[in-house]
Amino acid sequence: MLVKRPEMPEQDPEKRIHNFDEVALGYTEEQATIEANRCLQCKKPQCIKGCPVEIEIPAFIKNIAERNFEASASELKRANTLPAICGRVCPQETQCEIECTLGKKGEPIAIGRLERFAADYELEKGVQIPEIPESTVYRVAVVGSGPASLTVAADLARIGHSVTILEALHEAGGVLIYGIPEFRLPKEIVRAEVDFIKKLGVEIKLNFVVGKLRSVDELLTEYDAVFLGSGAGLPSFLGIEGENLNGVYSANEFLTRVNLMKAYQFPDYDTPIKKGKHVVVVGAGNVAMDAARCALRLGAENVTIVYRRGEEEMTARIEEIQHAKDEGVHFKLLTNPTIIHGDENNWVKTVKCIKMRLGEPDESGRARPEPIPGTEHEIPADVAVIAIGTTPNPLIPSTTSDLQTIKRNIIPTDAECRTSKKGVFAGGDVVTGSATVISAMGAGKIAARAIDQYLQSLRFAETTSTLDC
Amino acid sequence: MTYTILEREELAPEIYLLKLHAPEVASKSKPGQFIIIRIDENGERIPLTIADYNRDAGIITVVFMEIGKTTKQLAVLKSGDSLSDLVGPLGNPAHVPKNSVVVFVGGGVGITTVFPEAREFKKAGNTIISIIGARSENLLIWEDLVHSVSDKLYITTDDGTKGHHGFVTDVLTNILKEQGVDLVVAIGPVVMMRAVADVTKPFGVKTIVSLNPVMVDGTGMCGSCRVVVGGETRFTCVDGPEFDAHQVDFTLLMKRLTTYRDEEAVSLGKFMHEQDCDEKC
Ligand SMILES: Cc1cc2nc3c(=O)[nH]c(=O)nc-3n(C[C@H](O)[C@H](O)[C@H](O)COP(=O)(O)OP(=O)(O)OC[C@H]3O[C@@H](n4cnc5c(N)ncnc54)[C@H](O)[C@@H]3O)c2cc1C
Ligand code: SF4
Ligand code: FES
């Protein structure tokens, strides 16, 4: 019995920091089959418990082991509409893989890598479009086109409801298209998944800002139900001096310029970005890793992650932290920025920081970082990226009647994704605050079921009212 | 979805007007709001103020000056061509006062933003005094339109070729000395807006300006458009574009507007070179 998984073939760090091509190259058929054969096919599989969308993990792995790759992809798609994406970006190490029985003695099954393998195999072979039942009379508007929205849309379309996605940006995919960089999630993959959803009959209207072009109340006059999957797109800043200097970016701006607008191909693409030589990135989530690694690829000599807590507390996927380290990103942990200093032209010059130590746990249960007096120091920088989190945009709550929100424009829902407003459902980051692709998709699944039930209740109400007459 | 250019007009040297087919956007547009457009797949997203709209015909009008690569590229498009993306209306509509004497100050292309606002303010029963200025007579645009919605119109040119020889602020100062004014709305180059703010401040007259920082999404998602107003950071695209002039940090705005000066030069150079080639080759 092998205790180790095959290594993931990767682009060499020396080379890859000069391009935006995908870093992890994916298992070959051989590697995938070898790894799939390590799976014990447990009678009581623990892995499934860790999966937010309850993929039949042993079943799809068994298909790979038996080289039925297409069947494996179909099995995945029964539970997960976007497996090629999840296989690349889910934090499997804290979800399914952490539960895997094999993990007790050696390495757990590389569930994520196998998921990616099967999904890519299917994409390459050409995706089967499932048969769609006759269309119902109901129309659903889905706001946003991130993973939550794509999932709701696909599930509702499969039942036969007519679904329209309304997306503010000029391309569909949400964070998958504007935030996560090409080298981690090729846009071609996102486009293929979006295409699949279009083929299910979902209409996508781009350049459509809900709250401006139509309010949610107006949408409810045209559609029978509305799903809000508008994400958590409003960037937070530190609130320290110097944050409005030239060269200080929110991670959202930095990544949007690079990914959505392709600023890394400037001037062939028109959108510019400042290519810093010395870049400081504040934060240690996936967003911070992505920004740091983009900065390297734009040609930075030094990229430093500054984070006020320690190694243990970093929230990025382990693989991404490792990738960042391999590529030469410096980590200054237990360090917090206090002031950003600029030069006479208003350009960032240095980021002044102070060392921190971990004190008593705070409300979140995590050790509270405290500054250590007398440890101030300056880090030279000509670009600084603030990646300390995002919150939902106030636009929709502020233009919708009777929609309850809680702190920072979070839209609360019950377990069925129902908001306080009749006919309006929500899921993903707009409900949870910044979370993960798979949790957004999980919410999308639940919401689709709840919306379908709601639409059926409308039908019931209609039939009873006709009976009344 | 494509957004077709229905009409193109050169209003003055390097100043163009486009009428765009965008029925949904037109149906919701209000004075003071803007759109963001992207010309093609490789294009950047740029904000343009909505200079006019015709809800029945589904048309919005924008006016722009050729400055960088994107506006130069926009300037060579013809009617019948289309833009790959157009999103709006973005930003907050202008707040319309009641029973007020309002002075509108428009400079350069800003004059076209003054027009729909002045029209709306006039409709609401306000008294409208407009001051419009340009470097020279041939750059003065929409004089007739602004005239048609103003109770009184003053014209200034820097070189004295038309109207008052000097700046809009000279005329504004005189008006403020001579009569009661409830509100001043200034739209134009940042230096002009700042000068207007400086003039009105000692008179204690409320003054509104429309800001034009660098934008990307226009929906509050990136923070590229941040400005400081009253000591607080605000996002122009969602909190503005109109702000209290006496609270705006104009120096910061001007500095932030230079962020991509080098890149803009590169982009423009490349475009001009390609244009040259197209003509010669
Ligand atoms: C850089 C980055 C890296 C990440 N890396 C990972 C990772 O590796 N693994 C992981 O699991 N998670 C990761 N995440 C988190 C994950 O991407 C999000 O949790 C997930 O995308 C949330 O999905 P969503 O459907 O709720 O919304 P989003 O993906 O945020 O999509 C919301 C969409 O709604 C649109 N919208 C907003 N308001 C309106 C409106 N008024 N009208 C119309 N449209 C509107 C937006 O333009 C956007 O397209 C990352 C996030 C970022 C930013
Ligand atoms: S727990 Fe691990 S070994 Fe068991 S079925 Fe799941 S993936 Fe296979
Ligand atoms: S333009 Fe992005 S937040 Fe205003």
Side-chain angles (χ1 to χ4, degrees):
Chain A
M1 180 79 223
L2 294 167
V3 290
K4 282 182 94 75
R5 42 171 81 169
E7 290 278 339
M8 182 67 140
E10 280 178 359
Q11 254 202 91
D12 182 45
E14 294 275 317
K15 246 209 222 139
R16 73 188 190 222
I17 59 166
H18 301 295
N19 68 52
F20 274 79
D21 300 340
E22 192 166 20
V23 167
L25 302 171
Y27 275 169
T28 60
E29 287 183 20
E30 276 327 298
Q31 288 171 313
T33 325
I34 291 171
E35 179 62 2
N37 273 304
R38 253 182 5 110
C39 174
L40 303 172
Q41 293 295 318
C42 305
K43 284 252 158 44
K44 288 193 186 141
Q46 298 303 303
C47 49
I48 300 182
K49 282 201 279 181
C51 176
V53 295
E54 294 172 14
I55 295 177
E56 284 292 334
I57 294 171
F60 98 81
I61 293 182
K62 185 156 190 267
N63 276 318
I64 298 180
E66 291 165 358
R67 301 186 76 92
N68 293 324
F69 304 135
E70 269 167 88
S72 172
S74 310
E75 179 59 46
L76 276 169
K77 279 217 164 145
R78 286 203 309 134
N80 181 339
T81 327
L82 313 169
I85 293 172
C86 290
R88 287 173 166 82
V89 302
C90 277
Q92 288 94 6
E93 70 272 10
T94 57
Q95 295 183 162
C96 50
E97 293 178 10
I98 198 174
E99 303 286 347
C100 171
T101 315
L102 280 176
K104 297 201 180 88
K105 290 238 174 69
E107 278 191 309
I109 292 287
I111 301 171
R113 294 174 183 181
L114 291 176
E115 179 181 25
R116 166 180 168 169
F117 167 80
D120 283 2
Y121 184 90
E122 191 201 29
L123 279 179
E124 199 156 296
K125 284 276 154 0
V127 177
Q128 299 287 325
I129 307 296
E131 256 184 55
I132 299 166
E134 207 178 310
S135 61
T136 68
V137 296
Y138 295 109
R139 292 161 49 80
V140 182
V142 171
V143 181
S145 61
S149 295
L150 293 176
T151 307
V152 176
D155 283 11
L156 289 174
R158 279 185 171 146
I159 312 174
H161 299 307
S162 87
V163 182
T164 307
I165 287 183
L166 308 169
E167 167 57 49
L169 292 171
H170 60 256
E171 188 158 6
V175 167
L176 307 175
I177 208 87
Y178 78 71
I180 304 182
E182 180 75 20
F183 54 80
R184 202 147 74 77
L185 177 62
K187 300 307 146 219
E188 202 188 315
I189 303 273
V190 182
R191 287 192 193 111
E193 303 278 31
V194 170
D195 262 352
F196 173 73
I197 281 158
K198 281 195 209 156
K199 289 200 180 115
L200 294 174
V202 173
E203 183 192 9
I204 302 187
K205 287 194 181 176
L206 301 171
N207 299 318
F208 195 115
V209 183
V210 174
K212 289 287 177 192
L213 210 48
R214 289 279 186 289
S215 66
V216 171
D217 294 274
E218 286 170 313
L219 290 176
L220 282 170
T221 64
E222 293 170 50
Y223 298 88
D224 301 294
V226 174
F227 174 79
L228 304 175
S230 44
L234 191 77
S236 302
F237 284 91
L238 293 157
I240 61 174
E241 195 184 319
E243 255 180 322
N244 293 323
L245 290 165
N246 296 5
V248 180
Y249 289 95
S250 73
N252 263 7
E253 181 183 356
F254 191 76
L255 292 169
T256 301
R257 284 179 180 273
V258 173
N259 301 313
L260 180 70
M261 305 310 298
K262 303 238 172 359
Y264 64 93
Q265 296 183 51
F266 178 87
D268 289 333
Y269 281 75
D270 293 340
T271 305
I273 190 148
K274 215 58 197 184
K275 297 185 174 173
K277 281 208 158 54
H278 306 282
V279 180
V280 167
V281 178
V282 183
N286 286 316
V287 185
M289 299 306 142
D290 285 345
R293 297 172 68 201
C294 283
L296 272 182
R297 284 161 175 76
L298 290 170
E301 287 166 16
N302 276 301
V303 178
T304 309
I305 293 247
V306 170
Y307 179 49
R308 65 194 179 121
R309 301 180 196 256
E311 177 98 31
E312 298 278 291
E313 287 81 18
M314 294 203 280
T315 54
R317 296 174 77 218
I318 291 173
E319 189 175 294
E320 304 318 330
I321 297 173
Q322 194 53 48
H323 280 149
K325 286 183 177 165
D326 293 346
E327 290 169 8
V329 172
H330 307 296
F331 284 75
K332 285 199 135 210
L333 305 180
L334 290 168
T335 303
N336 204 25
T338 53
I339 299 180
I340 307 176
H341 288 299
D343 65 13
E344 61 287 358
N345 297 319
N346 202 52
W347 269 98
V348 183
K349 212 166 120 197
T350 62
V351 179
K352 186 173 181 182
C353 294
I354 188 160
K355 289 226 159 95
M356 310 289 280
R357 65 174 155 238
L358 293 179
E360 294 297 306
D362 61 13
E363 317 84 62
S364 73
R366 294 194 293 180
R368 187 195 300 277
E370 300 162 348
I372 307 174
T375 59
E376 288 90 351
H377 56 286
E378 310 255 352
I379 308 175
D382 48 5
V383 164
V385 182
I386 313 299
I388 56 163
T390 53
T391 56
N393 193 309
L395 182 57
I396 289 177
S398 68
T399 52
T400 308
S401 66
D402 309 322
L403 180 68
Q404 191 199 341
T405 55
I406 49 176
K407 57 165 190 294
R408 298 192 182 140
N409 302 306
I410 294 264
I411 299 175
T413 65
D414 65 8
E416 249 72 78
C417 295
R418 288 185 285 241
T419 69
S420 60
K421 192 176 171 75
K422 185 163 180 270
V424 179
F425 300 75
D429 282 5
V430 73
V431 174
T432 55
S434 331
T436 58
V437 171
I438 196 70
S439 60
M441 290 181 57
K445 282 204 117 36
I446 295 170
R449 240 176 279 149
I451 292 171
D452 183 45
Q453 271 170 16
Y454 172 75
L455 296 175
Q456 286 183 27
S457 75
L458 291 182
R459 175 160 43 193
F460 183 70
E462 275 163 24
T463 31
T464 39
S465 66
T466 26
L467 286 180
D468 281 349
C469 312
Chain B
M1 186 82 196
T2 57
Y3 307 89
T4 314
I5 299 173
L6 301 172
E7 213 177 297
R8 168 190 182 274
E9 191 188 334
E10 185 168 353
L11 295 180
E14 306 192 337
I15 299 180
Y16 299 86
L17 172 149
L18 296 180
K19 288 194 175 171
L20 303 164
H21 182 66
E24 297 212 72
V25 181
S27 74
K28 290 286 173 170
S29 295
K30 297 219 175 87
Q33 293 187 295
F34 63 93
I35 56 170
I36 284 188
I37 60 134
R38 194 171 71 121
I39 299 179
D40 56 28
E41 270 312 294
N42 294 14
E44 62 182 333
R45 296 169 63 101
I46 62 156
L48 294 170
T49 306
I50 301 170
D52 201 0
Y53 46 86
N54 181 331
R55 301 214 167 117
D56 300 330
I59 294 172
I60 55 175
T61 303
V62 292
V63 176
F64 62 94
M65 192 170 12
E66 269 184 47
I67 305 170
K69 190 251 162 173
T70 300
T71 44
K72 283 213 188 288
Q73 186 184 357
L74 202 54
V76 297
L77 295 181
K78 295 178 282 299
S79 71
D81 288 345
S82 57
L83 307 177
S84 89
D85 298 288
L86 186 162
V87 58
L90 300 172
N92 300 307
H95 173 74
V96 185
K98 284 200 184 93
N99 305 322
S100 300
V101 176
V102 184
V103 178
F104 277 95
V105 185
V109 179
I111 298 171
T112 58
T113 311
V114 162
F115 166 66
E117 275 192 40
R119 181 175 58 187
E120 192 84 357
F121 281 31
K122 174 96 179 133
K123 239 194 276 170
N126 298 288
T127 303
I128 310 296
I129 303 170
S130 300
I131 312 168
I132 59 174
R135 280 204 310 278
S136 191
E137 182 182 6
N138 68 335
L139 293 170
L140 200 65
I141 52 176
W142 279 21
E143 181 191 329
D144 293 346
L145 285 175
V146 177
H147 194 190
S148 69
V149 295
S150 307
D151 294 282
K152 194 145 180 56
L153 173 70
Y154 295 91
I155 290 170
T156 72
T157 49
D158 300 2
D159 62 2
T161 40
K162 180 149 194 187
H164 170 77
H165 184 171
F167 299 115
V168 284
T169 39
D170 307 338
V171 178
L172 178 63
T173 313
N174 287 337
I175 295 174
L176 291 172
K177 277 185 192 152
E178 282 162 17
Q179 72 172 95
V181 169
D182 301 307
L183 176 71
V184 172
V185 180
I187 305 169
V190 185
V191 276
M192 183 207 90
M193 294 192 288
R194 183 174 63 177
V196 168
D198 290 344
V199 164
T200 57
K201 195 156 188 191
F203 289 93
V205 177
K206 186 171 179 202
T207 305
I208 299 290
V209 287
S210 176
L211 305 184
N212 57 344
V214 176
M215 292 193 185
V216 183
D217 60 299
T219 64
M221 184 263 265
C222 75
S224 161
C225 63
R226 58 200 193 276
V227 290
V228 169
V229 182
E232 259 182 65
T233 297
R234 310 293 297 273
F235 289 7
T236 305
C237 68
V238 285
D239 300 326
E242 304 202 337
F243 291 103
D244 178 349
H246 298 146
Q247 304 285 324
V248 171
D249 184 340
F250 286 105
T251 312
L252 180 75
L253 173 62
M254 282 195 262
K255 285 184 171 162
R256 282 186 62 84
L257 280 168
T258 65
T259 302
Y260 296 107
R261 204 168 31 193
D262 299 347
E263 288 77 9
E264 279 157 12
V266 169
S267 194
L268 183 60
K270 178 169 176 282
F271 179 70
M272 298 309 275
H273 179 75
E274 286 162 1
Q275 290 286 103
D276 268 7
C277 256
D278 281 354
E279 275 164 28
K280 287 179 199 140
C281 318

